Amino acid sequence: MQRILIVEDEQDIADLIGFNLQRAGYEVIKAHDGIIGTTVALRERPDLIVLDLMLPGRDGYAVFRELRRDSRTVNIPVIMLTARAQTEDRIQGLEAGADDYLTKPFSPKELMLRVQAILKRAEAPPGTVNFTHGPFRFDKTSLKFYLDNEPAELTSTEFKLLLFLCERAGKAQDRNDLHRTIWGYSDAAHSRTLDTHMKRLRQKLGVHGSWVETVRSIGYRVIQAPE
Ligand code: CA
């Protein structure tokens, strides 16, 4: 059974989310402040974390940064919860590397769709176990990624994005299609999500970031490997 940690100080919201996740077949763990949330995440290593940003003790960003620094939790997908007015917050959250976000108030159904899309993304994609393109190598079984034959850390979202583009190298991929494929839904309001992920991905690829091209008014493309 997949386990989801909810870090949320508002009891009503935590209970509502927890109830719906349990009903959908997930095991739920809850923490009501940032410090306990961090401790529980490191100890339990859940499959996914729903992380509120406004938390007592330690705010969601600080929790997130700590979890991304620790090898035990670096790859755990995170959905951030932000208040409606905090537009800057969600952008910062995405730039920090959150997999997705939801703006309060949201319906439990919306959250469920996000959770399911992300957990599905973390499963091994079909096809050959290993896929190599230029300096990139993907082990689809373990979701491990190698850059110039050195292991490199990508989140499952970044892994899927880059793999999808590499498997279609040379062809520009439409941003809406990309979003629908990776996040499981398409929404113009979330176009920022794709761009912030691409920006982070390129940073992680270092000198090889130039393999990923922005195609104006279409989306993104990974260049073809030389013969
Ligand atoms: Ca809160």
Side-chain angles (χ1 to χ4, degrees):
M1 195 189 276
Q2 288 175 306
R3 289 185 310 159
I4 298 174
L5 169 63
I6 302 166
V7 188
E8 166 65 273
D9 58 312
E10 285 165 82
Q11 192 80 46
D12 300 1
I13 297 177
D15 287 348
L16 180 67
I17 298 172
F19 172 77
N20 281 278
L21 287 171
Q22 279 169 340
R23 204 173 51 176
Y26 299 108
E27 189 184 328
V28 170
I29 318 164
K30 289 182 209 161
H32 299 294
D33 75 53
I35 294 165
I36 295 169
T38 308
T39 309
V40 172
L42 291 168
R43 190 182 64 217
E44 302 289 334
R45 301 165 72 176
D47 297 287
L48 184 144
I49 300 168
V50 178
L51 178 62
D52 186 36
L53 285 179
M54 298 279 276
L55 290 170
R58 179 182 292 162
D59 74 26
Y61 289 124
V63 173
F64 183 77
R65 281 194 298 271
E66 179 144 357
L67 297 182
R68 280 293 184 260
R69 269 199 301 268
D70 196 298
S71 62
R72 287 169 290 177
T73 47
V74 65
N75 289 320
I76 299 176
V78 172
I79 299 177
M80 284 186 176
L81 303 181
T82 70
R84 184 180 284 279
Q86 299 162 301
T87 312
E88 278 309 306
D89 268 5
R90 69 185 189 206
I91 292 165
Q92 276 181 40
L94 286 167
E95 280 171 357
D99 294 81
D100 208 342
Y101 66 88
L102 272 174
T103 306
K104 292 177 182 178
F106 54 85
S107 73
K109 193 179 164 217
E110 270 183 288
L111 176 70
M112 217 55 62
L113 290 174
R114 302 279 205 281
V115 166
Q116 284 163 349
I118 287 178
L119 289 176
K120 202 172 148 217
R121 210 182 300 158
E123 287 170 7
T128 47
V129 171
N130 275 292
F131 181 81
T132 304
H133 183 75
F136 312 136
R137 181 154 62 89
F138 304 83
D139 179 336
K140 295 185 186 180
T141 310
S142 62
L143 295 187
K144 285 205 171 73
F145 175 70
Y146 301 85
L147 192 57
D148 280 336
N149 289 318
E150 292 291 326
E153 289 290 354
L154 292 187
T155 65
S156 60
T157 302
E158 292 159 352
F159 184 97
K160 274 287 187 77
L161 252 181
L162 186 60
L163 177 62
F164 186 85
L165 288 168
C166 286
E167 286 180 332
R168 292 155 185 81
K171 298 189 191 89
Q173 300 301 313
D174 177 83
R175 45 188 308 115
N176 288 328
D177 292 346
L178 267 176
H179 201 279
R180 200 175 301 115
T181 304
I182 307 296
W183 279 268
Y185 61 97
S186 185
D187 179 352
H190 284 76
S191 62
R192 216 44 221 227
T193 311
L194 176 64
D195 294 329
T196 49
H197 273 83
M198 294 306 300
K199 188 175 155 195
R200 252 189 98 73
L201 177 59
R202 278 188 180 128
Q203 283 167 359
K204 288 190 179 182
L205 298 177
V207 293
H208 296 304
S210 57
W211 281 74
V212 185
E213 294 180 337
T214 305
V215 185
R216 260 182 81 186
S217 72
I218 299 179
Y220 293 95
R221 170 176 56 208
V222 161
I223 58 172
Q224 273 178 318
E227 296 286 318

